[in-house]
């Protein structure tokens, strides 16, 4: 674990030296889209609550933004889809060894964080998801550099359609400078925190807590 930690530190430092963490991920063209964009991890959250939301076409799904913010938000999906959106064609790289290129439409995360008014104490944002693995929900977290990166979006559309359920409907994170497991699907709540230590088992993400995947998964 000590070794993993120092490797992670080295990755962060070398990426800063090479490109800077605020450099952009490559954006592709329409012709590059993968014919099939597979799903990984949860493809259908198996809770009664999610089934109800799905049956209602997510009309009552809300995105909650809370924690260390001046103005906690609770925004219905219809309002989220009405806000200005960004479209980007990017490559998704899963740690398990597959990649796919998809087109994403969604809300720039930094705008919503600014609307909520992050406290100066906030250091990370945590994404709470609707799917459960036993007693634990899937969750992920990123720091404020990635949170305010211009390509970090909350996507509600994929390949010119509403986001399909296997890919995280109605709302999923795209954090293009990091590996697939950081891209939280089925996002219901974004919590601004000072430290990750008090969140679930303290490593900043479901896989980080369970299998020792690195918290910083830069590509
Ligand atoms: N809520 C949730 N988000 C998740 C997962 C998951 O199981 N649950 N799997 C992660 C992993 S490992 C990957 S590679 C991507 C897969 O995204 P996709 O299903 O759109 O291919 O979602 C990530 N986000
Ligand atoms: Mo993954």
């Amino acid at each position: 674990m000590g070794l993993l930690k120092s490797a992670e530190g080295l990755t962060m430092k070398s990426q800063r030296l090479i490109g800077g963490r605020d450099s952009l991920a490559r954006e592709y063209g329409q012709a590059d889209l993968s014919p099939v964009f597979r799903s990984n991890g949860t493809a259908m959250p198996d809770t009664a609550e999610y089934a109800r939301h799905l049956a209602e076409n997510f009309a009552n799904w809300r995105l909650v933004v809370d924690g260390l913010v001046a103005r906690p938000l609770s925004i219905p999906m219809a309002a989220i889809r009405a806000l200005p959106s960004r479209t980007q064609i990017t490559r998704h790289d899963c740690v398990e060894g597959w990649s796919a290129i998809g087109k994403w439409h969604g809300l720039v995360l930094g705008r919503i964080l600014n609307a909520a008014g992050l406290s100066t104490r906030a250091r990370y944002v945590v994404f709470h998801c609707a799917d459960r693995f036993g007693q634990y929900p899937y969750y992920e977290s990123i720091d404020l550099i990635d949170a305010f990166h211009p390509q970090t979006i909350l996507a509600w559309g994929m390949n010119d359609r509403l986001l399909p359920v296997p890919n995280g409907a109605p709302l999923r994170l795209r954090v293009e400078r990091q590996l697939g497991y950081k891209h939280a699907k089925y996002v219901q709540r974004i919590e601004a925190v000072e430290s990750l230590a008090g969140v679930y088992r303290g490593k900043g993400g479901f896989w980080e807590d369970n299998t020792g995947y690195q918290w910083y998964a830069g590509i």
Side-chain angles (χ1 to χ4, degrees):
M1 199 56 226
L3 198 65
L4 265 185
K5 272 277 157 231
S6 48
E8 180 177 356
L10 201 63
T11 307
M12 287 184 80
K13 276 183 208 132
S14 46
Q15 291 212 347
R16 278 210 194 93
L17 282 176
I18 296 163
R21 289 183 54 212
D22 50 1
S23 63
L24 296 175
R26 174 166 173 197
E27 294 196 19
Y28 294 79
Q30 190 77 20
D32 303 312
L33 287 177
S34 298
V36 175
F37 195 111
R38 58 168 283 187
S39 162
N40 204 33
T42 302
M44 169 67 82
D46 67 355
T47 68
E49 192 195 331
Y50 187 84
R52 181 170 46 78
H53 281 299
L54 180 56
E56 297 165 345
N57 276 324
F58 304 108
N60 295 305
W61 185 281
R62 285 171 170 266
L63 172 69
V64 169
V65 184
D66 64 6
L68 296 174
V69 297
R71 297 171 292 278
L73 306 174
S74 172
I75 321 168
M77 273 315 295
I80 288 174
R81 294 193 194 107
L83 291 169
S85 69
R86 187 184 206 281
T87 300
Q88 60 203 33
I89 300 178
T90 54
R91 195 184 70 200
H92 179 102
D93 295 316
C94 172
V95 72
E96 292 166 23
W98 59 274
S99 299
I101 294 176
K103 183 177 187 179
W104 310 99
H105 325 272
L107 185 65
V108 172
L109 178 64
R111 293 176 71 123
I112 210 84
L113 295 177
N114 283 336
L118 277 190
S119 155
T120 52
R121 279 167 50 219
R123 294 288 179 273
Y124 306 95
V125 286
V126 181
F127 301 85
H128 297 273
C129 306
D131 52 332
R132 300 276 175 280
F133 288 74
Q135 59 170 313
Y136 291 105
Y138 198 94
Y139 82 100
E140 259 303 339
S141 63
I142 57 177
D143 65 17
L144 297 190
I145 297 180
D146 274 316
F148 284 96
H149 186 283
Q151 291 170 318
T152 298
I153 65 174
L154 290 167
W156 47 261
M158 178 187 186
N159 295 344
D160 297 310
R161 307 182 55 182
L162 286 181
L163 190 64
V165 169
N167 303 103
L171 200 60
R172 65 99 50 87
L173 178 67
R174 295 297 311 168
V175 50
E176 304 292 357
R177 302 294 312 281
Q178 297 207 48
L179 289 172
Y181 60 88
K182 302 296 292 187
H183 300 228
K185 305 192 283 187
Y186 318 107
V187 174
Q188 283 186 305
R189 176 178 169 223
I190 300 175
E191 181 191 11
V193 298
E194 188 168 6
S195 157
L196 298 173
V199 184
Y200 301 107
R201 283 164 287 171
K203 300 281 198 309
F206 178 78
W207 292 114
E208 291 89 324
D209 280 343
N210 276 281
T211 58
Y213 280 7
Q214 295 186 10
W215 173 78
Y216 181 72
I219 42 179

